[in-house]
Amino acid sequence: MSYLNGQTGYREDLLDTRSIVKKENYVLIEPDGIVKNAIPGYENCDVTILGSPELGASFADYLITVNKGGMNSGFGGAGLESFLYVLEGEVTVKNADKEAVLTGGGYIYSSAGNLVSFVNTGNEPAKIFGYKRRYEEIEGFCAHTVVGNAKDLPWVPYEGMENCYVKDFLPAAGDFGFDMNFHILKFHPGASHGYIETHVQEHGALILTGKAMYRLDQDWVPVKKGDYIFMDAYCPQACYGVGKDEDLTYLYSKDCNRDVKL
Protein backbone atom coordinates (compact mmCIF):
# COMPACT_ATOMS: atom_id res chain seq x y z
CA MET A 1 0.00 0.00 0.00
CA SER A 2 1.27 3.47 -0.89
CA TYR A 3 -0.06 6.97 -1.50
CA LEU A 4 -1.65 7.69 -4.85
CA ASN A 5 -0.04 11.13 -5.08
CA GLY A 6 3.46 9.66 -4.64
CA GLN A 7 4.14 11.69 -1.49
CA THR A 8 6.85 10.14 0.67
CA GLY A 9 8.73 11.29 3.72
CA TYR A 10 7.87 14.09 6.10
CA ARG A 11 5.77 17.14 5.25
CA GLU A 12 7.12 20.63 5.84
CA ASP A 13 3.83 21.70 7.42
CA LEU A 14 1.35 20.26 9.90
CA LEU A 15 -0.54 17.14 8.86
CA ASP A 16 -4.03 18.16 7.84
CA THR A 17 -6.86 17.03 5.57
CA ARG A 18 -10.15 18.24 4.13
CA SER A 19 -11.51 14.68 4.18
CA ILE A 20 -14.61 14.09 6.30
CA VAL A 21 -15.94 10.63 7.17
CA LYS A 22 -19.43 10.32 8.64
CA LYS A 23 -20.32 6.73 7.90
CA GLU A 24 -23.90 6.02 6.83
CA ASN A 25 -24.40 9.77 6.32
CA TYR A 26 -21.86 11.39 4.01
CA VAL A 27 -18.17 11.21 3.19
CA LEU A 28 -15.76 13.61 1.48
CA ILE A 29 -12.43 12.16 0.35
CA GLU A 30 -9.86 14.61 -0.99
CA PRO A 31 -7.10 13.35 -3.32
CA ASP A 32 -4.24 14.04 -0.92
CA GLY A 33 -3.76 11.06 1.36
CA ILE A 34 -5.73 8.39 -0.49
CA VAL A 35 -3.90 5.14 -0.96
CA LYS A 36 -3.29 2.54 -3.64
CA ASN A 37 -4.77 -0.89 -2.92
CA ALA A 38 -3.25 -4.16 -4.09
CA ILE A 39 -6.15 -6.18 -5.55
CA PRO A 40 -5.90 -9.48 -7.48
CA GLY A 41 -6.82 -9.20 -11.16
CA TYR A 42 -5.39 -5.73 -11.75
CA GLU A 43 -2.13 -5.92 -13.71
CA ASN A 44 0.10 -2.83 -13.81
CA CYS A 45 -2.68 -0.69 -12.34
CA ASP A 46 -2.88 1.70 -9.38
CA VAL A 47 -6.25 1.13 -7.72
CA THR A 48 -7.98 3.19 -5.03
CA ILE A 49 -11.27 2.11 -3.48
CA LEU A 50 -13.43 5.17 -2.84
CA GLY A 51 -17.04 4.26 -2.00
CA SER A 52 -17.76 0.88 -0.37
CA PRO A 53 -20.18 -0.91 1.98
CA GLU A 54 -17.80 0.03 4.79
CA LEU A 55 -19.10 3.59 4.38
CA GLY A 56 -22.71 2.46 4.20
CA ALA A 57 -22.91 2.32 0.38
CA SER A 58 -24.70 -0.40 -1.57
CA PHE A 59 -22.01 -0.08 -4.26
CA ALA A 60 -18.25 0.19 -4.70
CA ASP A 61 -16.48 3.03 -6.52
CA TYR A 62 -12.90 2.86 -7.76
CA LEU A 63 -10.30 5.25 -9.14
CA ILE A 64 -8.01 3.25 -11.42
CA THR A 65 -4.81 4.39 -13.12
CA VAL A 66 -4.10 1.90 -15.90
CA ASN A 67 -0.43 2.19 -16.75
CA LYS A 68 0.88 1.35 -20.23
CA GLY A 69 -0.04 -2.28 -20.93
CA GLY A 70 -2.08 -2.46 -17.70
CA MET A 71 -5.28 -4.46 -17.67
CA ASN A 72 -8.06 -6.23 -15.80
CA SER A 73 -9.62 -9.30 -17.40
CA GLY A 74 -12.81 -9.40 -15.34
CA PHE A 75 -14.22 -6.24 -13.72
CA GLY A 76 -17.59 -7.05 -12.16
CA GLY A 77 -18.76 -10.31 -10.61
CA ALA A 78 -21.63 -12.76 -10.26
CA GLY A 79 -24.85 -10.79 -9.89
CA LEU A 80 -23.00 -7.48 -10.15
CA GLU A 81 -23.61 -4.76 -12.72
CA SER A 82 -20.66 -2.53 -13.58
CA PHE A 83 -19.80 0.81 -15.14
CA LEU A 84 -16.48 2.22 -16.35
CA TYR A 85 -15.87 5.86 -17.28
CA VAL A 86 -12.59 7.03 -18.86
CA LEU A 87 -11.30 10.23 -17.29
CA GLU A 88 -8.22 10.43 -19.52
CA GLY A 89 -6.15 8.25 -21.80
CA GLU A 90 -7.30 5.32 -23.92
CA VAL A 91 -8.48 1.83 -23.04
CA THR A 92 -10.00 -1.03 -24.97
CA VAL A 93 -12.99 -2.56 -23.17
CA LYS A 94 -14.76 -5.83 -23.90
CA ASN A 95 -17.61 -7.88 -22.48
CA ALA A 96 -19.69 -10.73 -23.89
CA ASP A 97 -21.64 -8.32 -26.11
CA LYS A 98 -19.33 -5.55 -27.27
CA GLU A 99 -15.75 -4.42 -27.73
CA ALA A 100 -14.82 -0.74 -28.00
CA VAL A 101 -11.93 1.69 -27.72
CA LEU A 102 -12.77 4.37 -25.16
CA THR A 103 -11.05 7.72 -24.79
CA GLY A 104 -11.77 10.61 -22.39
CA GLY A 105 -15.51 10.75 -21.68
CA GLY A 106 -16.05 7.21 -22.95
CA TYR A 107 -18.03 4.73 -20.88
CA ILE A 108 -19.46 1.23 -20.78
CA TYR A 109 -22.30 -0.17 -18.68
CA SER A 110 -22.37 -3.97 -18.37
CA SER A 111 -25.33 -5.89 -16.97
CA ALA A 112 -25.20 -8.27 -14.02
CA GLY A 113 -22.61 -11.04 -14.33
CA ASN A 114 -21.32 -9.77 -17.71
CA LEU A 115 -17.69 -9.16 -16.80
CA VAL A 116 -15.81 -6.32 -18.50
CA SER A 117 -12.13 -6.49 -19.40
CA PHE A 118 -10.03 -3.41 -20.04
CA VAL A 119 -6.49 -2.83 -21.26
CA ASN A 120 -4.49 0.34 -21.80
CA THR A 121 -3.91 0.47 -25.56
CA GLY A 122 -2.29 3.91 -25.57
CA ASN A 123 1.20 5.17 -24.81
CA GLU A 124 0.26 7.13 -21.68
CA PRO A 125 -1.40 6.08 -18.42
CA ALA A 126 -5.19 6.02 -18.55
CA LYS A 127 -7.44 6.96 -15.65
CA ILE A 128 -10.80 5.26 -15.10
CA PHE A 129 -13.66 5.68 -12.64
CA GLY A 130 -15.20 2.29 -11.92
CA TYR A 131 -18.49 1.27 -10.27
CA LYS A 132 -19.97 -2.07 -9.18
CA ARG A 133 -23.33 -2.81 -7.55
CA ARG A 134 -25.51 -5.86 -6.96
CA TYR A 135 -28.29 -5.76 -9.54
CA GLU A 136 -31.88 -5.75 -8.24
CA GLU A 137 -33.86 -8.02 -10.54
CA ILE A 138 -37.57 -7.59 -11.22
CA GLU A 139 -39.67 -9.97 -13.31
CA GLY A 140 -40.13 -9.06 -16.95
CA PHE A 141 -37.26 -6.59 -17.23
CA CYS A 142 -33.51 -6.78 -17.84
CA ALA A 143 -30.65 -4.39 -18.53
CA HIS A 144 -28.26 -4.48 -21.49
CA THR A 145 -24.80 -3.25 -22.45
CA VAL A 146 -24.48 0.46 -23.19
CA VAL A 147 -21.37 2.05 -24.73
CA GLY A 148 -21.01 5.75 -25.46
CA ASN A 149 -19.10 8.96 -24.86
CA ALA A 150 -20.27 11.89 -22.76
CA LYS A 151 -18.96 14.29 -25.41
CA ASP A 152 -21.64 12.99 -27.81
CA LEU A 153 -24.51 13.61 -25.38
CA PRO A 154 -26.37 16.95 -25.30
CA TRP A 155 -26.48 19.17 -22.23
CA VAL A 156 -30.09 19.38 -21.07
CA PRO A 157 -31.25 22.19 -18.76
CA TYR A 158 -31.59 20.73 -15.28
CA GLU A 159 -35.18 21.09 -14.09
CA GLY A 160 -35.70 24.03 -16.42
CA MET A 161 -32.73 26.07 -15.16
CA GLU A 162 -30.54 27.76 -17.78
CA ASN A 163 -27.35 27.88 -15.70
CA CYS A 164 -27.39 24.23 -14.65
CA TYR A 165 -27.30 21.26 -17.03
CA VAL A 166 -27.30 17.47 -16.97
CA LYS A 167 -26.27 14.53 -19.16
CA ASP A 168 -27.84 11.09 -18.65
CA PHE A 169 -25.71 8.12 -19.70
CA LEU A 170 -28.20 5.25 -19.47
CA PRO A 171 -31.85 4.82 -20.64
CA ALA A 172 -33.12 4.28 -17.08
CA ALA A 173 -35.73 7.06 -17.41
CA GLY A 174 -37.80 4.86 -19.73
CA ASP A 175 -36.56 1.33 -19.03
CA PHE A 176 -37.23 -0.49 -15.75
CA GLY A 177 -34.54 -2.99 -16.71
CA PHE A 178 -32.05 -0.46 -15.32
CA ASP A 179 -31.95 -0.03 -11.54
CA MET A 180 -29.38 2.79 -11.62
CA ASN A 181 -28.07 5.57 -13.81
CA PHE A 182 -24.97 7.72 -14.25
CA HIS A 183 -25.06 11.44 -14.93
CA ILE A 184 -22.88 14.52 -15.21
CA LEU A 185 -24.19 17.73 -13.67
CA LYS A 186 -22.78 21.12 -14.72
CA PHE A 187 -23.22 24.35 -12.75
CA HIS A 188 -22.06 27.75 -13.96
CA PRO A 189 -20.43 29.82 -11.18
CA GLY A 190 -23.24 30.98 -8.90
CA ALA A 191 -25.70 28.32 -10.10
CA SER A 192 -27.27 25.96 -7.60
CA HIS A 193 -29.79 23.21 -7.09
CA GLY A 194 -33.34 24.52 -6.91
CA TYR A 195 -33.84 23.05 -3.45
CA ILE A 196 -32.09 20.90 -0.85
CA GLU A 197 -32.81 17.30 -1.84
CA THR A 198 -33.67 14.59 0.67
CA HIS A 199 -34.34 11.15 -0.85
CA VAL A 200 -33.91 7.43 -0.40
CA GLN A 201 -31.35 7.10 -3.22
CA GLU A 202 -27.58 7.09 -2.66
CA HIS A 203 -24.92 8.91 -4.66
CA GLY A 204 -21.24 8.43 -5.30
CA ALA A 205 -19.80 11.54 -6.99
CA LEU A 206 -16.43 12.54 -8.45
CA ILE A 207 -15.76 16.26 -9.00
CA LEU A 208 -14.41 16.63 -12.56
CA THR A 209 -13.92 20.41 -12.80
CA GLY A 210 -14.44 23.54 -10.76
CA LYS A 211 -15.32 24.24 -7.15
CA ALA A 212 -18.47 24.25 -5.03
CA MET A 213 -19.96 24.69 -1.62
CA TYR A 214 -21.84 21.47 -1.04
CA ARG A 215 -24.59 21.05 1.54
CA LEU A 216 -24.18 17.61 3.12
CA ASP A 217 -26.55 16.87 6.00
CA GLN A 218 -26.31 20.05 8.14
CA ASP A 219 -22.85 21.08 6.89
CA TRP A 220 -21.71 23.35 4.05
CA VAL A 221 -18.50 21.75 2.75
CA PRO A 222 -16.06 23.23 0.19
CA VAL A 223 -15.20 20.79 -2.61
CA LYS A 224 -13.11 20.98 -5.78
CA LYS A 225 -11.76 18.98 -8.72
CA GLY A 226 -10.57 15.53 -7.71
CA ASP A 227 -12.73 15.24 -4.60
CA TYR A 228 -15.01 12.24 -4.08
CA ILE A 229 -18.33 12.44 -2.22
CA PHE A 230 -20.57 9.66 -0.91
CA MET A 231 -24.11 10.67 0.02
CA ASP A 232 -26.14 8.07 1.87
CA ALA A 233 -29.91 7.66 1.73
CA TYR A 234 -31.83 10.63 3.15
CA CYS A 235 -28.72 12.81 3.51
CA PRO A 236 -29.88 16.40 2.75
CA GLN A 237 -27.86 17.62 -0.23
CA ALA A 238 -27.44 20.54 -2.64
CA CYS A 239 -24.64 22.75 -3.93
CA TYR A 240 -23.61 26.12 -5.31
CA GLY A 241 -21.01 26.40 -8.04
CA VAL A 242 -18.35 28.85 -6.89
CA GLY A 243 -15.20 30.40 -8.36
CA LYS A 244 -14.47 32.94 -11.09
CA ASP A 245 -14.94 31.34 -14.48
CA GLU A 246 -14.71 27.53 -14.33
CA ASP A 247 -17.90 25.47 -14.37
CA LEU A 248 -18.48 22.89 -11.70
CA THR A 249 -19.02 19.44 -13.20
CA TYR A 250 -19.28 16.11 -11.48
CA LEU A 251 -19.94 12.51 -12.40
CA TYR A 252 -22.37 10.67 -10.14
CA SER A 253 -24.42 7.50 -9.77
CA LYS A 254 -27.98 7.15 -8.55
CA ASP A 255 -30.04 4.04 -7.88
CA CYS A 256 -33.58 4.19 -9.31
CA ASN A 257 -36.64 2.31 -10.58
CA ARG A 258 -37.06 0.03 -7.56
CA ASP A 259 -39.39 -0.14 -4.56
CA VAL A 260 -38.00 -0.40 -1.03
CA LYS A 261 -37.34 -3.85 0.37
CA LEU A 262 -39.35 -4.74 3.48
Side-chain angles (χ1 to χ4, degrees):
M1 186 174 70
S2 59
Y3 295 103
L4 191 65
N5 63 6
Q7 172 71 35
T8 58
Y10 293 109
R11 295 291 180 96
E12 296 298 324
D13 204 344
L14 296 174
L15 294 177
D16 196 9
T17 182
R18 292 186 298 107
S19 295
I20 303 169
V21 178
K22 297 186 178 183
K23 294 183 178 182
E24 299 183 347
N25 187 359
Y26 77 86
V27 172
L28 167 68
I29 300 177
E30 67 154 313
D32 190 42
I34 61 176
V35 300
K36 295 185 285 186
N37 305 108
I39 304 174
Y42 294 87
E43 300 180 20
N44 199 21
C45 295
D46 298 327
V47 185
T48 292
I49 300 173
L50 296 170
S52 72
E54 281 71 12
L55 296 180
S58 64
F59 54 82
D61 282 334
Y62 302 79
L63 187 61
I64 308 165
T65 299
V66 190
N67 298 304
K68 185 176 180 180
M71 61 179 296
N72 185 322
S73 59
F75 184 82
L80 302 180
E81 57 191 341
S82 57
F83 182 91
L84 296 172
Y85 179 88
V86 179
L87 299 165
E88 58 184 67
E90 178 181 298
V91 295
T92 297
V93 297
K94 183 178 180 180
N95 67 6
D97 306 315
K98 293 187 178 182
E99 180 174 354
V101 176
L102 302 182
T103 55
Y107 60 88
I108 180 171
Y109 167 86
S110 195
S111 56
N114 192 354
L115 301 182
V116 181
S117 66
F118 59 81
V119 59
N120 183 345
T121 48
N123 294 318
E124 302 295 330
K127 292 186 177 180
I128 299 175
F129 182 85
Y131 167 98
K132 294 190 293 189
R133 181 174 181 268
R134 188 159 298 280
Y135 180 66
E136 298 181 48
E137 295 185 23
I138 54 174
E139 186 176 354
F141 297 92
C142 61
H144 56 83
T145 299
V146 179
V147 175
N149 193 297
K151 295 175 183 177
D152 299 326
L153 302 176
W155 286 111
V156 177
Y158 184 64
E159 298 187 345
M161 296 183 289
E162 292 298 333
N163 57 2
C164 179
Y165 303 88
V166 66
K167 293 185 178 188
D168 298 331
F169 291 173
L170 303 179
D175 188 342
F176 282 157
F178 290 84
D179 67 347
M180 53 76 63
N181 205 343
F182 260 85
H183 316 264
I184 290 181
L185 268 177
K186 176 170 71 172
F187 295 83
H188 294 326
S192 72
H193 286 87
Y195 46 86
I196 295 177
E197 300 180 1
T198 308
H199 50 62
V200 68
Q201 290 82 14
E202 304 169 286
H203 295 307
L206 183 69
I207 309 297
L208 301 177
T209 63
K211 300 175 183 177
M213 290 299 298
Y214 221 110
R215 172 68 179 262
L216 298 166
D217 195 12
Q218 300 304 305
D219 305 322
W220 283 101
V221 179
V223 300
K224 64 179 182 178
K225 178 181 178 180
D227 287 350
Y228 173 81
I229 307 171
F230 165 64
M231 291 165 267
D232 209 344
Y234 297 108
C235 175
Q237 57 195 256
C239 79
Y240 286 94
V242 300
K244 293 183 178 180
D245 52 17
E246 185 177 27
D247 292 336
L248 168 72
T249 62
Y250 59 89
L251 174 75
Y252 71 103
S253 62
K254 183 178 183 179
D255 48 295
C256 61
N257 292 345
R258 297 294 185 268
D259 200 354
V260 295
K261 294 181 179 179
L262 299 177

